[in-house]
Amino acid sequence: MSPFEVVYGYNPRAPVDLAPVPDLKRVDAKANERIQQLQQVHKFAQEHLTRANEKYKKAADKKRREVNFEVGDFVWEILTKDRFSLGDYNKLKARKIGPVEILAKINPNAYKLKLPSHIRTFVVFNVKHLVPYHGENTNDVDQQNSRTNFSQPRENDADESV
């Protein structure tokens, strides 16, 4: 349906159909039918919009990640291009800084961080720019050995016979 049809109940075929109708002081017998028809059109349009919105929300929720942090947690912060001051942005510059501490939870979507002094930007960040920090595991043998073969776990790709 076109927006015009939703409001007025019909699609005009020509500009002449949009000409104002003279105001007659008598009530048309079909007025109640016309009102019911318009109400059905409005109800149909509202149901269609509700179904479409539910479908879009379901598709968007598939990609949404639910992350909640608490005050005192450490996170990695991803800086976007707009967070750098003018002339300071370099595409080869590190964008992920951290670990940084969360100072306050403003709402489930925004957090106030304790940034290093050399970072000159606003301290409130959206949750989509935060990645949980899990700490460093120095006990893991695979992380210490850079020669680990990732295609075959627990195997070394270095030539041992040399």
Side-chain angles (χ1 to χ4, degrees):
M1 294 184 164
S2 70
F4 192 91
E5 186 176 2
V6 169
V7 174
Y8 296 106
Y10 69 97
N11 273 328
R13 288 181 260 182
V16 176
D17 292 341
L18 298 175
V21 179
D23 185 22
L24 303 174
K25 299 296 181 189
R26 57 190 164 118
V27 177
D28 191 3
K30 295 184 179 182
N32 286 334
E33 290 178 30
R34 181 84 171 135
I35 291 171
Q36 290 175 355
Q37 178 189 9
L38 275 175
Q39 288 174 344
Q40 288 176 351
V41 167
H42 291 170
K43 184 178 177 183
F44 172 76
Q46 183 178 12
E47 289 172 358
H48 182 71
L49 288 173
T50 303
R51 283 193 311 268
N53 284 341
E54 288 173 358
K55 184 176 90 172
Y56 293 140
K57 182 177 178 356
K58 185 177 178 182
D61 285 346
K62 285 182 182 178
K63 297 176 185 175
R64 181 169 291 145
R65 68 180 175 112
E66 198 66 36
V67 181
N68 290 320
F69 299 109
E70 298 299 325
V71 175
D73 287 351
F74 285 90
V75 294
W76 291 99
E77 206 299 307
I78 301 170
L79 293 176
T80 55
K81 185 177 182 178
D82 61 327
R83 289 286 185 160
F84 289 97
S85 58
L86 189 63
D88 195 28
Y89 176 74
N90 180 354
K91 66 180 182 179
L92 299 177
K93 196 174 204 176
R95 289 192 176 90
K96 191 185 280 188
I97 59 170
V100 293
E101 184 180 3
I102 295 178
L103 295 177
K105 181 177 182 177
I106 296 171
N107 61 38
N109 201 32
Y111 294 89
K112 184 177 181 180
L113 304 178
K114 182 180 180 181
L115 295 177
S117 60
H118 69 279
I119 304 292
R120 293 173 293 176
T121 186
F122 197 62
V123 296
V124 176
F125 290 90
N126 191 309
V127 73
K128 72 179 179 180
H129 296 123
L130 302 178
V131 178
Y133 175 73
H134 299 294
E136 296 179 13
N137 293 334
T138 56
N139 298 335
D140 194 7
V141 177
D142 289 338
Q143 287 183 352
Q144 292 175 355
N145 187 359
S146 64
R147 303 288 297 192
T148 302
N149 187 348
F150 292 106
S151 64
Q152 298 174 356
R154 303 281 184 212
E155 291 192 19
N156 194 333
D157 63 353
D159 188 12
E160 302 285 331
S161 62
V162 178

